[in-house]
Amino acid sequence: MTIVTIVKQVPEAEARVRVQGGALDLAGATFVLDGMDEYGVEQALRLREAGEASEIVAVGYGPRETEQALRTALAMGADRAVLLEASGLDDPLTVALALAEVVREAGADLVLVGGKQADWDSAALGPALAEALGWPHVDWATAFTLSGQAFESVHEIDDGSETLRGSLPLVVTTQQGLNEPRYPTLPNIMKANRKPLDVRPAATEESRSAARSYAVVERERRRVVLEGDASSAASELVRRLRDEAKVLG
Amino acid sequence: MILIVVEHDQGALRKSAFELVGLGRSLAIASGARLAALVLSAAGDDLASELARYLDEVHLVRDARLDPPRAETVTRAVAHAAQTLGADVVLLPASRAGLAYGPRVALRLCGSLLEDVTSVTFEGDTVVATRPAYLARVSATVVAKAKPVVVSVKPGAAPIAALADTSGRVHPLAVPFAAEDLRLEPSARQAVVKGRVALEEADVVVCGGRGLGSAEAFERQVVGLADRLGAGVGATRAVVDAGWRPYVEQIGQTGKTVTPKLFLALGVSGAVQHLSGMNRSGVIVAVNKDADAPIFRVTDYGIVGDVHEVVPALAAALEGPD
Ligand SMILES: Cc1cc2nc3c(=O)[nH]c(=O)nc-3n(C[C@H](O)[C@H](O)[C@H](O)COP(=O)(O)OP(=O)(O)OC[C@H]3O[C@@H](n4cnc5c(N)ncnc54)[C@H](O)[C@@H]3O)c2cc1C
């Protein structure tokens, strides 16, 4: 059984994101494999180790630099990688349609994809990819087991959690709690450089939605530090919340 | 026409339903479009009748296969309704469920998706929205380029609609569900103990971090203060990972986004992934023993001190005369 694990290259969480004349300025930012996708790569590796999968294909969509994220996935243990090279930040529906082609070509029965992207703050790719493939999906999985074609997964819903059962094919969106992703070892990083990474231009249709401009959202905050011992600071806080901010009755 | 998809829980419409009605009304007025709401329910039609006091046209899909709700059955029903009714815009809540079926509906309708938006307007014929990006460090203005446009709206993005002077009609709608919509078998739903205001619907949120030190201290200080304030309880990922609190209380990139009028962060460091879930709150208060903690960069009122001293003092001050 082949597993496709989708990876994305995103700016580090600590990176400063600036806006210049409505455009995004990511100069100086370090880019990394999206943390949410790492859980998917790790889950694929565990399924292979348990004898449930024979091949793991890491697939990326984005600029040439996405190769680095794919190399990280290869260093973690994926067998081969495919990059659909595209310049812009296309919307998740457009990306899903392009990725679905690669999933079909790989003959995969299971696709793992990060639950929420750290650049577009989107949770849409997994469900959209499932729709493009005509498959069901499990979102926000915190547990996933496979036995042949039959799976069982626990996932988070609005008010708690739920267990889902079914049989492959399936798209799963991954998140914290699913597993603890491994760090690539140095020998594996060396090995990863020799694993096949196939780069091709993404043959996508026009994006169905696009970002027109960006703005920094930081709100003005009062940034008052209340001095004194615990009880006088607390009384002053309650007074200010009532009289100044008017958020307490 | 504009179609609103409402969500309900345990026989009551969720707060998001009234926010969407408010938003739908203003978009309908601005564009001259017709407005209708869609209720998906496995039982009774009380919810549809209640909704008909807010707008003229309500469509009700009543089908046992909608319980428990699955992304695929909901997708089928919403896409079918949108097609049958000729919707140009579909508004749905950016709940965890809405974020899962929204993209499927948009793709099935060959339309576009504006996801998790904080505002939405028409510019002529075009739907334009704003939404957070880059872990909510920036806000992006996004433009839909294909119709119909599916828009998932963040909780708190629109004011609650007032009751209209109307007695609208409820129209039954049958949906041709397919066997493939029922491929996943849900079982063992663990609802988290309720009895407290839902996190996304709370006016005040008290959020605790690892600085509390233990599950017991979290219960005593954070939950204790929340109960006193009638507030929702939130937690950081560090707290959830430690098993002190359930995942549904997590706030941040991989948890919930909240926009209460008042947010209290107790023993929370203020990591970027956490800020992305609370930085649009009205007034932010932080208690942290480290004066250099990043959380103080986004707070209105800060107290540098030990939560174990400050929180009891705060509880006492709240009791005191105003
Ligand atoms: C992919 C990814 C997604 C993530 N998603 C989320 C998310 O959704 N939500 C989230 O919260 N995090 C998320 N994180 C984790 C995030 O980076 C932080 O690790 C986390 O928010 C830290 O939680 P904390 O503030 O409770 O703990 P810490 O960072 O350990 O901070 C504890 C704070 O308490 C203070 N303190 C200690 N003792 C006391 C005391 N007695 N009195 C007062 N103050 C005290 C300390 O000074 C410190 O500032 C994510 C990380 C990744 C990589």
Side-chain angles (χ1 to χ4, degrees):
Chain A
M1 202 261 295
T2 298
I3 300 178
V4 161
T5 167
I6 308 291
V7 303
K8 201 159 198 239
Q9 173 94 336
V10 297
E12 235 176 16
E14 306 306 324
R16 280 263 320 256
V17 180
R18 293 189 197 78
V19 173
Q20 300 270 1
L24 213 53
D25 176 7
L26 291 168
T30 310
F31 284 74
V32 294
L33 165 57
D34 196 332
M36 298 290 271
D37 294 334
E38 278 179 26
Y39 301 108
V41 178
E42 178 63 35
Q43 197 62 27
L45 298 173
R46 291 185 187 200
L47 288 167
R48 192 180 59 191
E49 283 155 11
E52 296 293 348
S54 48
E55 190 196 24
I56 301 170
V57 188
V59 179
Y61 181 104
R64 194 42 95 92
E65 295 75 46
T66 309
E67 266 190 51
Q68 295 160 23
L70 289 166
R71 288 281 172 214
T72 305
L74 292 172
M76 285 173 76
D79 297 302
R80 63 183 180 92
V82 178
L83 170 60
L84 292 184
E85 193 179 352
S87 55
L89 190 67
D90 289 309
D91 79 294
L93 303 188
T94 308
V95 175
L97 289 169
L99 290 175
E101 289 302 319
V102 182
V103 173
R104 279 194 208 101
E105 182 194 288
D109 279 329
L110 178 64
V111 176
L112 301 161
V113 47
K116 192 169 182 183
Q117 303 166 341
D119 52 2
W120 197 230
D121 287 4
S122 169
L125 186 60
L129 186 50
E131 181 68 22
L133 290 162
W135 296 1
H137 79 264
V138 173
D139 57 328
W140 301 97
T142 52
F144 183 82
T145 52
L146 191 63
S147 164
Q149 291 289 105
F151 69 83
E152 181 174 309
S153 183
V154 180
H155 76 137
E156 301 290 340
I157 54 177
D158 282 298
D159 303 303
S161 62
E162 180 184 60
T163 305
L164 291 169
R165 289 195 193 87
S167 58
L168 302 183
L170 181 73
V171 174
V172 178
T173 86
T174 58
Q175 63 154 334
Q176 68 179 83
L178 183 61
N179 53 47
E180 212 40 70
R182 69 195 66 186
Y183 289 104
T185 60
L186 196 58
N188 285 345
I189 294 172
M190 307 300 288
K191 247 194 264 167
N193 290 328
R194 294 190 302 271
K195 289 183 179 173
L197 195 163
D198 170 16
V199 182
R200 17 177 144 147
T204 41
E205 42 171 318
E206 209 201 323
S207 234
R208 288 156 185 244
S209 66
R212 183 169 67 187
S213 62
Y214 293 87
V216 174
V217 279
E218 267 165 34
R219 273 170 86 127
E220 281 293 315
R221 297 285 172 192
R222 293 187 180 85
R223 295 181 69 164
V224 175
V225 175
L226 303 169
E227 308 286 347
D229 60 16
S231 102
S232 51
S235 310
E236 178 63 8
L237 174 62
V238 171
R239 192 191 68 72
R240 297 233 194 183
L241 291 176
R242 286 198 173 122
D243 303 342
E244 190 173 67
K246 298 191 163 50
V247 286
L248 279 187
Chain B
M1 66 99 63
I2 300 170
L3 181 66
I4 300 167
V5 184
V6 300
E7 281 180 2
H8 48 88
D9 179 40
Q10 299 174 354
L13 291 168
R14 285 192 195 263
K15 188 177 174 189
S16 63
F18 302 103
E19 294 174 353
L20 290 184
V21 170
L23 186 62
R25 272 187 201 154
S26 57
L27 288 174
I29 291 167
S31 63
R34 197 174 111 216
L35 179 67
L38 178 67
V39 182
L40 308 180
S41 164
D45 18 82
D46 300 357
L47 295 174
S49 321
E50 185 189 348
L51 209 54
R53 298 165 64 207
Y54 288 82
L55 74 181
D56 291 330
E57 188 181 337
V58 177
H59 297 271
L60 170 66
V61 179
R62 214 178 128 178
D63 197 303
R65 285 167 289 194
L66 288 165
D67 182 42
R70 295 168 167 92
E72 295 186 282
T73 46
V74 177
T75 299
R76 177 79 60 193
V78 175
H80 178 77
Q83 256 159 351
T84 313
L85 302 168
D88 304 298
V89 178
V90 179
L91 297 177
L92 47 95
S95 58
R96 192 144 277 187
L99 293 175
Y101 66 77
R104 298 196 76 130
V105 172
L107 208 50
R108 199 165 297 183
L109 295 173
C110 296
S112 57
L113 173 73
L114 302 182
E115 182 189 2
D116 209 11
V117 310
T118 48
S119 76
V120 53
T121 50
F122 278 108
E123 281 181 10
D125 217 18
T126 308
V127 184
V128 178
T130 57
R131 65 182 304 278
Y134 292 88
L135 303 180
R137 281 170 283 183
V138 299
S139 167
T141 299
V142 288
V143 182
K145 299 192 158 172
K147 276 196 174 165
V149 189
V150 174
V151 187
S152 56
V153 182
K154 239 191 208 316
I160 302 267
L163 206 61
D165 193 13
T166 185
S167 50
R169 276 195 57 194
V170 177
H171 309 263
L173 183 70
V175 172
F177 289 107
E180 62 177 60
D181 300 338
L182 305 167
R183 279 177 290 192
L184 297 189
E185 255 180 79
S187 67
R189 231 163 213 264
Q190 288 98 27
V192 165
V193 220
K194 288 230 181 148
R196 185 174 290 113
V197 55
L199 200 46
E200 305 94 315
E201 303 187 357
D203 283 338
V204 181
V205 168
V206 183
C207 177
R210 180 147 50 192
L212 268 302
S214 69
E216 296 71 37
F218 192 107
E219 182 74 36
R220 200 165 52 230
Q221 310 291 14
V222 180
V223 180
L225 186 63
D227 284 344
R228 194 175 295 262
L229 290 167
V233 172
T236 63
R237 167 171 169 174
V239 161
V240 173
D241 281 351
W244 301 351
R245 302 300 298 177
Y247 182 80
V248 281
E249 290 179 2
Q250 182 172 315
I251 292 173
Q253 180 195 0
T254 45
K256 295 194 163 148
T257 304
V258 296
T259 50
K261 295 198 180 86
L262 173 61
F263 186 97
L264 295 115
L266 311 176
V268 171
S269 62
V272 178
Q273 295 94 346
H274 182 72
L275 299 183
S276 74
M278 47 68 82
N279 64 4
R280 292 192 310 118
S281 300
V283 171
I284 298 177
V285 170
V287 179
N288 194 304
K289 68 176 184 191
D290 174 9
D292 294 326
I295 188 76
F296 286 122
R297 280 184 234 141
V298 301
T299 52
D300 292 284
Y301 304 109
I303 296 180
V304 180
D306 190 326
V307 283
H308 299 102
E309 291 168 21
V310 178
V311 178
L314 198 53
L318 285 165
E319 292 288 288
D322 342 353

